[in-house]
């Protein structure tokens, strides 16, 4: 995975990852990207639901949204996905940290053409709510027209990972009797809440039942 | 809370919130902000640990980091905090959505002066790891010098919240026998992992023990 001047990590360079599988894994584990564009010289950054599709990310939203409309015009975009994996309690505040996996994609977005939009939305749906596509009716023509899907290629990317315990500075006066370690963090599901208008006796579908175990499977290993 | 041309929500305007208490609550519930700056005409956006301090947010990082160094130079920044609260399973994919609370702060950052840096770091520490400050030694002069803390005022902000169930389009062919509802999402802690060099018998401190219940208290109510 090539590192450019724009994607080179200058601070804590050992956290930079150039393994394409890690890039894919991080993108496949997240749900929301923070997408930035420049408008009138000022950056704006907002959360957008996304999915990885091969060697690109798909972003989707309403045709009425300002951010994606700006992104669709071919201006440079940054797409960042961050997974927060833990709070690192070192014996000093200076060495305290967070464990995380983060990907930043730089580039320009292109609109997915109408003929391919349903396929792209299916890919988004299968990422965000696996199995749901086949449980509900297909999108209507009107719904497709009201939805914008953008594709940003994974050409220029930066991947950073911190997945270790608390670092120790042997000569820096830390008190060994102070506990040090990691509090792992994870996204978790709570019990599903059925809509008030759901008819009695409609069971929770497979897609919803699967959501909880999905996040469990995505928890990273803590490295020594 | 004033709405400017840059912070007005154009799409789904009913999700825009102008209650300052909600702004504070969202910022107080998050750990990581996505901070965007423009570099050579291109947006970059990276995760940064932050804390709210009254009517501003504090960002902190190493003096060696490129993003905060750029932000400290007085260029426009965007600071976005997003809390992902649920997956919304509607009876169509078009109406399926996510519940979230999101804040975007626009403005410029100013470096916290050296004389106030320790106080600002204490504020950050108390937000990110409540109680930890008093369990470990204070920062050294060298550590303070290697840390940059920026302050961004909460002058121009946009707050969006979706906290409801699945919306229903009565005339749009949805099958009422399909389950609809919300799978709530939350950040959760797993069991703390002590460092390998922790002496035997050192108990998990109060700050670490409190981390789990903290996230439980931050879960939002689902509105009808």
């Amino acid at each position: 995975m090539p590192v450019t001047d724009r994607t080179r990590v200058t601070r804590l360079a050992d956290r930079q990852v150039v393994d394409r599988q890690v890039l894919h894994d991080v993108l496949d584990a997240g749900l929301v990207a923070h997408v930035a564009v420049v408008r009138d010289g000022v950056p704006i950054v907002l959360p957008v639901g996304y999915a990885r599709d091969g060697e690109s990310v798909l972003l989707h939203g309403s045709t009425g949204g300002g951010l994606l409309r700006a992104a669709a015009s071919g201006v440079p975009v940054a797409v960042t996905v961050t997974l927060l994996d833990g709070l690192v309690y070192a014996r000093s505040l200076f060495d305290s940290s967070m464990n995380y996996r983060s990907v930043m994609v730089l580039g320009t977005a292109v609109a997915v053409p109408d003929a391919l939009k349903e396929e792209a939305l299916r890919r988004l749906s299968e990422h965000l709510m696996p199995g749901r596509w086949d449980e509900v009716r297909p999108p209507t023509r009107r719904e497709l027209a009201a939805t914008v899907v953008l594709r940003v290629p994974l050409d220029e990317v930066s991947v950073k990972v911190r997945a270790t315990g608390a670092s120790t500075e042997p000569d820096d006066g830390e008190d060994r009797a102070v506990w040090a370690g990691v509090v792992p963090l994870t996204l978790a599901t709570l019990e599903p809440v059925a809509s008030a208008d759901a008819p009695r006796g409609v069971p929770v579908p497979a897609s919803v039942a699967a959501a909880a175990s999905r996040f469990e499977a995505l928890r990273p290993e803590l490295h020594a």
Side-chain angles (χ1 to χ4, degrees), chain A:
Chain A
M1 210 157 73
V3 174
T4 70
D5 281 350
R6 303 195 302 185
T7 61
R8 181 168 294 113
V9 173
T10 54
R11 164 73 189 152
L12 296 174
D14 57 313
R15 294 185 191 166
Q16 180 149 28
V17 173
V18 292
D19 180 345
R20 219 152 172 98
Q21 187 61 49
V22 176
L23 166 68
H24 289 181
D25 289 348
V26 172
L27 292 174
D28 291 350
L31 298 171
V32 165
H34 279 83
V35 178
V37 298
V38 184
R39 203 166 56 180
D40 303 328
V42 170
I44 58 170
V45 51
L46 290 171
V48 176
Y50 79 93
R52 180 178 70 84
D53 184 32
E55 294 301 329
S56 58
V57 285
L58 299 171
L59 308 172
H60 80 312
S62 158
T63 50
L67 180 86
L68 290 193
R69 208 163 51 214
S73 70
V75 298
V77 299
V79 179
T80 296
V81 173
T82 302
L83 309 172
L84 197 51
D85 293 328
L87 293 165
V88 181
Y89 288 72
R91 294 189 180 98
S92 69
L93 296 157
F94 185 73
D95 283 322
S96 295
S97 186
M98 294 188 208
N99 279 344
Y100 62 91
R101 290 164 290 164
S102 186
V103 165
M104 178 170 66
V105 184
L106 300 178
T108 54
V110 292
V112 171
D114 286 348
L116 300 175
K117 211 189 265 184
E118 184 165 342
E119 190 184 317
L121 285 172
R122 182 176 184 135
R123 176 79 197 132
L124 280 153
S125 176
E126 289 299 343
H127 173 64
L128 297 170
M129 298 180 168
R132 187 59 169 171
W133 184 275
D134 291 326
E135 293 171 351
V136 297
R137 64 162 175 77
T140 65
R141 201 172 300 181
R142 183 186 59 78
E143 290 171 345
L144 289 174
T147 306
V148 60
V149 186
L150 303 182
R151 182 183 294 278
V152 182
L154 297 176
D155 291 340
E156 190 171 359
V157 296
S158 159
V159 183
K160 277 182 85 174
V161 174
R162 191 197 191 283
T164 55
S167 65
T168 294
E169 301 288 340
D171 304 325
D172 223 1
E174 280 87 356
D175 179 354
R176 283 292 167 283
V178 172
W179 188 92
V182 175
V183 176
L185 294 174
T186 184
L187 206 57
T189 57
L190 305 176
E191 277 298 299
V193 180
S195 288
D197 68 351
R200 276 175 191 279
V202 172
V204 169
S207 65
V208 172
S213 54
R214 175 197 189 196
F215 291 114
E216 279 165 30
L218 293 175
R219 289 174 195 162
E221 291 287 311
L222 194 67
H223 301 297

